[in-house]
Amino acid sequence: MHMDRSERNYVLFTAALMIVFALALAIGGVANGIKLPAPELIVDPRTVATPGVSPFGDPVEERVREIAPGKYEAYILAEAWKFSPGSTGQGQPPLTFPVGSTVTFYVTSKDIQHGFKLENTNLSFMVLPGQVSKLTATFDKPGTYNFVCYEFCGSAHHIMYGELVVEDTNAASR
Ligand code: CUA
C-alpha cells in the first residue's frame, strides 16, 4: 500500500508520542509513588452532611480523630467553595497533626465535583459527590501544607483551599 511520505511521518510521530506519554505515566506513577484513592464508600450527597448520617455530619471540630497513638482519621467535606475542616480562609479550623502522624483522609463532596491536592505530598484526587475518596499519608516533616481544589467548580474556585499544619512536638512519646 502506498503511503505518502508526510503521512507516514505523521503516523510515526504519533506513535512516538504515544510511547513518550506511556513512559511519562509509568515514571510518574511508579517512580513518584503515586497512590490512587480507593472509592471507599458510596454515599448520598444530599444527606451525607446531615448530623447522625455519617462522620461528615459531625461537628467540624470532631471530624479529625485519633484512632490509635499517632494514627488519625480526617473526614473532610468539600463544597463550593470550602473544605471543612481545613479552609481557614472561610472560618473553618485548620487540620493539625503532630509530626510523625499517619493520617487517613476521607473526602467527599456534598454538591459538585472538586479536587484535593496536598502540596509536597503525592496526595491528589478528585472529590466526587456520592463517593468517599480515601488516602493515607504519613507526615514526617513539620510545617504548613496547603491543599487546593484543582477541579474548576464555579466562580469562587480560586479561593477553595485549606491548610494542614504538622506540628513539631518534642513531647510526642514515640
Ligand atoms: Cu472546588 Cu474548585
Side-chain angles (χ1 to χ4, degrees):
M1 185 183 81
H2 173 73
M3 198 186 254
D4 188 73
R5 193 161 137 232
S6 60
E7 187 180 5
R8 194 197 59 208
N9 287 346
Y10 271 113
V11 168
L12 289 176
F13 176 69
T14 308
L17 260 191
M18 298 308 284
I19 292 169
V20 169
F21 291 158
L23 280 175
L25 270 181
I27 291 167
V30 179
N32 295 338
I34 301 241
K35 283 185 269 178
L36 290 176
E40 176 66 11
L41 198 64
I42 299 302
V43 293
D44 185 339
R46 292 166 299 183
T47 57
V48 72
T50 308
V53 170
S54 82
F56 298 97
D58 290 350
V60 70
E61 308 78 28
E62 294 168 23
R63 288 191 217 149
V64 174
R65 297 150 189 197
E66 186 168 19
I67 51 172
K71 297 218 183 311
Y72 293 83
E73 282 178 347
Y75 291 87
I76 301 174
L77 183 69
E79 65 193 284
W81 291 279
K82 66 183 176 192
F83 295 101
S84 354
S87 284
T88 50
Q90 315 267 32
Q92 298 298 312
L95 293 157
T96 308
F97 304 101
V99 71
S101 297
T102 297
V103 183
T104 301
F105 296 89
Y106 297 88
V107 191
T108 193
S109 166
K110 71 178 220 183
D111 45 34
I112 53 175
Q113 177 175 321
H114 299 281
F116 183 96
K117 163 95 183 86
L118 187 63
E119 69 172 354
N120 298 328
T121 69
N122 60 4
L123 262 74
S124 174
F125 48 90
M126 264 199 258
V127 180
L128 300 169
Q131 179 179 308
V132 178
S133 299
K134 174 189 176 191
L135 263 182
T136 300
T138 300
F139 296 93
D140 291 326
K141 286 201 197 102
T144 298
Y145 299 68
N146 294 314
F147 52 95
V148 296
C149 172
Y150 66 80
E151 294 284 348
F152 182 72
C153 57
S155 59
H157 160 69
H158 59 286
I159 63 160
M160 187 167 174
Y161 62 92
E163 197 172 283
L164 185 152
V165 180
V166 177
E167 289 178 328
D168 198 354
T169 48
N170 294 320
S173 57
R174 60 186 301 270

